[in-house]
Amino acid sequence: MKYKLFKGCLSVIFISCLFFYTGCIDECDGQEGEPTLYISFATEKRYTRVYGVGGKEKDTYDYPSTQWHVPVSIKDDSTIVVFESSTGNDTLTIRYSRTVKMESQRCGFRLFLDDFEITEPTTFTRLPDEVSYYTNELYVYIDE
């Protein structure tokens, strides 16, 4: 009798914990990791290295591409991206504001990026008017 009662109580506790923790996962919208900048070009470009200054370097590409991506700096108010090629270097600077807010007690603090603009220094001549931002992803389209 005691064994059945103990087994029943454990089952109720287990099911209660399962529902409780499932609700916690849905409360936080799951934005993990660092924001990423996706840079698209109108024509294919051949770069040997693409990296953010002070950030993480990306792998070397041996083929032309129309899209490149680098991590966005979360410790600075801007990210400078260097595009190295055999003919020279190009740069792109994106400035933004960073705000840390408490999302909830369960989810903790979260970093918000806002007010994006492309600023100097940059070597590109046909820059976009805006930078799109969706859930830790920035998108820039360069018509060159």
Side-chain angles (χ1 to χ4, degrees):
M1 176 86 165
K2 288 183 182 181
Y3 178 71
K4 283 186 176 184
L5 181 62
F6 179 72
K7 190 176 175 182
C9 287
L10 281 179
S11 297
V12 170
I13 291 171
F14 176 74
I15 291 172
S16 298
C17 289
L18 183 65
F19 284 118
F20 177 74
Y21 286 114
T22 302
C24 290
I25 293 170
D26 292 339
E27 180 184 342
C28 305
D29 57 3
Q31 292 185 15
E32 295 179 4
E34 58 197 350
T36 302
L37 171 62
Y38 293 88
I39 304 159
S40 299
F41 292 93
T43 59
E44 290 185 339
K45 302 285 185 181
R46 182 181 299 272
Y47 294 110
T48 54
R49 282 178 55 196
V50 177
Y51 60 94
V53 173
K56 295 179 182 175
E57 184 175 323
K58 289 298 182 183
D59 294 336
T60 301
Y61 294 91
D62 296 329
Y63 55 89
S65 180
T66 58
Q67 188 178 71
W68 306 87
H69 59 277
V70 295
V72 173
S73 175
I74 59 174
K75 63 180 182 174
D76 296 317
D77 290 332
S78 65
T79 295
I80 300 172
V81 182
V82 178
F83 300 85
E84 290 184 1
S85 70
S86 58
T87 59
N89 295 347
D90 290 319
T91 58
L92 178 69
T93 303
I94 297 183
R95 186 170 305 280
Y96 42 86
S97 63
R98 296 171 295 138
T99 308
V100 177
K101 295 179 184 174
M102 176 70 127
E103 188 168 341
S104 70
Q105 257 187 330
R106 286 189 186 146
C107 300
F109 289 94
R110 184 171 155 208
L111 177 69
F112 293 88
L113 303 176
D114 294 305
D115 305 323
F116 301 99
E117 64 178 326
I118 296 173
T119 62
E120 296 295 329
T122 187
T123 57
F124 297 107
T125 55
R126 300 175 69 184
L127 291 172
D129 295 330
E130 64 181 1
V131 177
S132 303
Y133 181 65
Y134 305 102
T135 315
N136 275 1
E137 296 177 352
L138 281 80
Y139 295 91
V140 174
Y141 178 76
I142 300 175
D143 191 19
E144 285 190 8

